[in-house]
Amino acid sequence: PAQKCCAIDYFIHTLKQTADTLNDTKLFHSRVSIPRSSASKYFPSIARRLYRLFAHCFFHHREVFDIIEEEYYVCERFTKFITMYKLVPRKQQIIK
């Protein structure tokens, strides 16, 4: 079961878990080539969790989200990436 926590703790936990997973040499032996099995096993979950961070910002801090997005397009670029590689189904992509 999921544990309840405040948004900032969820952000920190998600970013730390993502970094730990990607830096785990048992899962990813090389930084140059990634085995398809590792990519297909870990990337969808990582992408879904990171997308949730964007969604939180979009729905709860829209004014700041829009300012940052207008300059850097981070969410837009991430959304294109997860769509291109089919990491998060379109029906789960709730930022419009």
Side-chain angles (χ1 to χ4, degrees), residues 36-83:
R36 278 205 180 310
S37 60
S38 291
S40 63
K41 183 174 184 178
Y42 296 102
F43 287 5
S45 176
I46 289 171
R48 187 182 69 253
R49 289 169 185 262
L50 292 174
Y51 188 83
R52 284 185 195 146
L53 303 183
F54 284 113
H56 170 84
C57 293
F58 180 82
F59 289 107
H60 297 282
H61 309 283
R62 183 63 182 270
E63 192 172 302
V64 175
F65 177 92
D66 287 343
I67 291 168
I68 300 299
E69 192 63 13
E70 186 175 301
E71 186 168 349
Y72 298 105
Y73 304 98
V74 179
C75 184
E76 181 179 323
R77 290 184 290 139
F78 186 76
T79 302
K80 286 180 182 180
F81 174 80
I82 64 174
T83 302

